[in-house]
Amino acid sequence: MRMTKFCMKGCAIAAILAGSSAQAQETSYTLYGTPGLIEMPTAQSAPDAEITASLGIFKQQQRTNFTFQLTQRLSGTFRYTAIPENNGPGTGGTFDRSFDLRYRAIDEGRFGGWSPAVAVGLQDFMGTGKLSSEYIVASKSFDDKIIVTAGLGWGRFGTKGGFTNPLGVIDASLETRPELDFGVGGEISVGQLFKGDAALFGGISWDYSDKLTFKGEYSSDAYARENANGSLDSKSPINVGLSYGWREDVTLDLAYLYGSELAASVTFDLNPRRREITSGVETAPVPVRVRGASSAAAESWATDAAPQSFQAALAADGFRLLGLSTQGTTARVRYANSRYRSEAQSMGRVARIMTQYMPDTIGTFVLEPTQVGITLSATTIQRSDMETLENTAMAAEDIRKRSVTVDATGPAPAPVVDGTPAFTWGLSPYLQLIVFNGNAPVQADFGLSLRARYEISPNLVLNGGLRQSALGKRELAEVFQTENNYPDVRTSGGAYGIDGKPIITDLTLIHYGRPAADLYSRVSVGYLERMYGGGSTEVLWKPVDSRLALGAELNYAIQRDTDMLLGFQDFDAMTGHVSAYYSFDSGFHGQVDMGRYLAGDWGATFALDREFDNGWKVGAYFTLTDMPFEEFGEGSFDKGIRITVPTDFFLGNTSRREVSTSLASLTRDGGARVNVDGRLYNIVRDGHTAGSMGDTWGRFWR
């Protein structure tokens, strides 16, 4: 595969990381994007949840790295490497994708003050193997400024000064490292792990100041292939370098490699658990009115209709009143929250407003949050608890213990007519970045986007979008094609909407429903996404207090014309999946989807995401189907990383808006699904105690 001019491959990730950080970078990173010295790893771990994006460049390789500290001990790295002289000068180059995992097995000081931290790592264990290495490494800090590291490496890290594998005493077969059968790549190289010759590496880092760190290392990577083909002249195993903390979230590195090469890197870091703007800029909630303090509410209240002042107060705080009923001493309020990311925070604010406007005879509040016109839950709160707990030390936890949240069953409260316009629209610029697509590291498109929405009812909405690119007609990026017996359902995706004319991005009629207790439904028809139109229906079972959810989806998809207007091509497909979702502790969410994909292949998609209370999500997925790896093509099977960034994290305002992106190894026809907007699970769990509302209950009084 020929390599086009190398450009800033890390910009898509760096754009979301360069804006803010809570503190200076605590961990040194290598040119591989992993915690370490220059090229050799250390046993350091980044702070839990830290995200880094880095770009490392020297003559032989340019590496774009994305690293996430999944837990306090486990981290993962996705890497996209440009190798300019793959087989020697003048031969062109390739783009290589690779994945790493590393685990800190032992903490420093675990066995006394003398004992080092120890980590085990797998580098490029699921790629082409060009960068594959395994290692065990130990690091010890001295005087909080010096870190000394020593390690044992295999694979690439076992090629300089290598010796017989010491693990051979366990099994003699470990002394020989088999040749990697690359095939179409993407498979886990289990047969090579910790096999073959091993070699020692090590180094030292010295924090000269808060901003400047000096590094030196002995590398056990001989760059044998690169030396053989003349693309690198490795004269010495000694590498030296320095790191400069340019900003709290940006580190610049410069190094001299192997006695012959200069290298540079830039690393952006961010931790979703911390932000510069430590508190939101939303207005303060109204105070709780203690009954008897004012008679105005009782005098103005009409039993059969919501006072306009109550409705206006809700609207001023970002809530839409959809229904209100009173019976005896109980008032039920159904509302839509369009402003606050946490449904617990929105519920607390609605309850406060109710104390201001409900007559004193009302002693019980039933609050029913909705999204897309469907009720998510019903929480009963005693008004007396609002009055007595507002300013106490454990107010959020106490109100949670005394409230009761159940499914919102039974007849709806009396509907309320409000002034929300049925038709809304907006015109704005757009920027679309497509990264790691074939031999095009970054593709960008920008222009104007027109979005329109018509609300027939709160749960029946027609919406769509038009775009006009400012770039005009664009060239089709070269994508490696694989001859197989399956239809082209995704490989040609780059051909869509590149003729420079206006395009219809989507145009759908969506209905959401509540067919029964604990059940939710969605039906979507129209132009569902860039490549497909048709119909999609989904049902989800999700009890309010259950970590488990089960769903099923059935789609009829018709492939759109590449001009992305109203026409269709002569290809259609029925796809369907059954799904299981589970919320683990510490914000981890697992999902398994099993069924039929667009190309007619059958299989399952496995995903694990870590979600933070502020809206950040970082996860990974992979799909295995009955499509043979050889017919899938380069990469063997579909896999990737996905990130969701909440805009209010950087702005500090109150907003439910977010931006999502995926870093996929390759987009191929195997394991391909229709990209339907508005799937139910993430919508529904926002209002459940075993979901986002329960996770963020501490914001109830905010």
Side-chain angles (χ1 to χ4, degrees), residues 43-317:
Q44 285 180 291
S45 293
D48 184 29
E50 183 160 287
I51 300 172
T52 63
S54 64
L55 176 64
I57 301 176
F58 65 107
K59 176 184 176 182
Q60 169 56 26
Q61 295 175 6
Q62 297 100 39
R63 304 169 185 150
T64 302
N65 314 292
F66 174 86
T67 297
F68 177 50
Q69 192 68 35
L70 290 87
T71 69
Q72 292 183 350
R73 297 182 179 275
L74 181 66
S75 66
T77 299
F78 172 69
R79 185 178 304 106
Y80 190 77
T81 305
I83 306 177
E85 306 291 353
N86 188 42
N87 296 308
T91 62
T94 61
F95 291 101
D96 182 68
R97 300 158 182 83
S98 55
F99 293 87
D100 299 359
L101 282 176
R102 57 180 282 139
Y103 182 77
R104 190 182 78 249
I106 301 175
D107 297 335
E108 184 171 348
R110 174 66 177 82
F111 302 106
W114 57 269
S115 63
V118 178
V120 181
L122 307 178
Q123 178 172 291
D124 191 9
F125 72 99
M126 200 168 68
T128 63
K130 291 183 173 66
L131 305 176
S132 65
S133 308
E134 305 86 52
Y135 56 86
I136 300 173
V137 61
S139 296
K140 180 73 176 72
S141 59
F142 298 90
D143 196 29
D144 295 329
K145 289 184 177 295
I146 296 175
I147 299 176
V148 177
T149 293
L152 185 64
W154 292 262
R156 283 194 74 113
F157 291 169
T159 55
K160 182 67 176 179
F163 47 82
T164 301
N165 190 349
L167 297 179
V169 300
I170 302 173
D171 186 344
S173 67
L174 294 174
E175 296 179 359
T176 303
R177 192 177 184 92
E179 291 293 327
L180 178 65
D181 181 13
F182 171 62
V184 291
E187 299 180 54
I188 299 177
S189 52
V190 177
Q192 286 199 324
L193 298 182
F194 298 98
K195 292 185 177 181
D197 286 353
L200 295 172
F201 62 85
I204 186 171
S205 67
W206 172 43
D207 291 338
Y208 174 77
S209 67
D210 291 341
K211 287 184 171 292
L212 189 61
T213 299
F214 293 96
K215 306 177 186 178
E217 68 178 19
Y218 174 89
S219 172
S220 59
D221 187 347
Y223 276 84
R225 181 173 59 247
E226 292 77 11
N227 279 300
N229 65 32
S231 60
L232 183 71
D233 183 13
S234 177
K235 299 177 180 179
S236 169
I238 304 299
N239 299 328
V240 294
L242 57 87
S243 294
Y244 176 69
W246 180 47
R247 281 176 28 179
E248 288 184 333
D249 55 352
V250 182
T251 301
L252 306 177
D253 285 80
L254 186 66
Y256 186 60
L257 306 180
Y258 305 103
S260 61
E261 298 290 339
L262 281 175
S265 68
V266 57
T267 302
F268 303 91
D269 72 274
L270 178 149
N271 196 310
R273 302 180 69 175
R274 303 187 297 265
R275 64 179 182 180
E276 273 183 8
I277 303 172
T278 57
S279 181
V281 296
E282 68 266 21
T283 58
V286 300
V288 172
R289 181 183 71 86
V290 178
R291 284 171 289 185
S294 171
S295 60
E299 294 173 355
S300 63
W301 183 261
T303 303
D304 298 327
Q308 292 185 355
S309 56
F310 175 55
Q311 191 170 2
L314 288 172
D317 209 12

Side-chain angles (χ1 to χ4, degrees), residues 652-674:
N653 61 350
T654 53
S655 173
R656 294 178 65 88
R657 294 183 179 180
E658 55 191 28
V659 178
S660 297
T661 189
S662 294
L663 307 179
S665 174
L666 284 169
T667 301
R668 291 288 181 259
D669 299 320
R673 297 182 65 180
V674 183

Side-chain angles (χ1 to χ4, degrees), residues 30 109 155 274 277 282 386 427 447 511 522 613 622:
T30 68
R274 303 187 297 265
I277 303 172
E282 68 266 21
M386 294 290 297
L427 183 66
H511 177 271
R522 173 190 54 81
D613 293 345
F622 67 92

Side-chain angles (χ1 to χ4, degrees), residues 335-338 340 343 369-376 458 512 656 683 686:
Y335 61 93
N337 161 38
S338 61
Y340 301 96
E343 289 291 354
T370 73
Q371 290 293 336
V372 294
I374 54 175
T375 52
L376 307 179
Y512 291 93
R656 294 178 65 88
I683 295 173
D686 272 357

Side-chain angles (χ1 to χ4, degrees), residues 460-482:
L460 180 61
V461 176
L462 177 67
N463 58 44
L466 295 173
R467 279 187 178 180
Q468 173 60 59
S469 174
L471 300 179
K473 187 174 182 179
R474 306 186 300 284
E475 294 295 326
L476 178 62
E478 179 184 351
V479 178
F480 180 74
Q481 297 279 353
T482 301

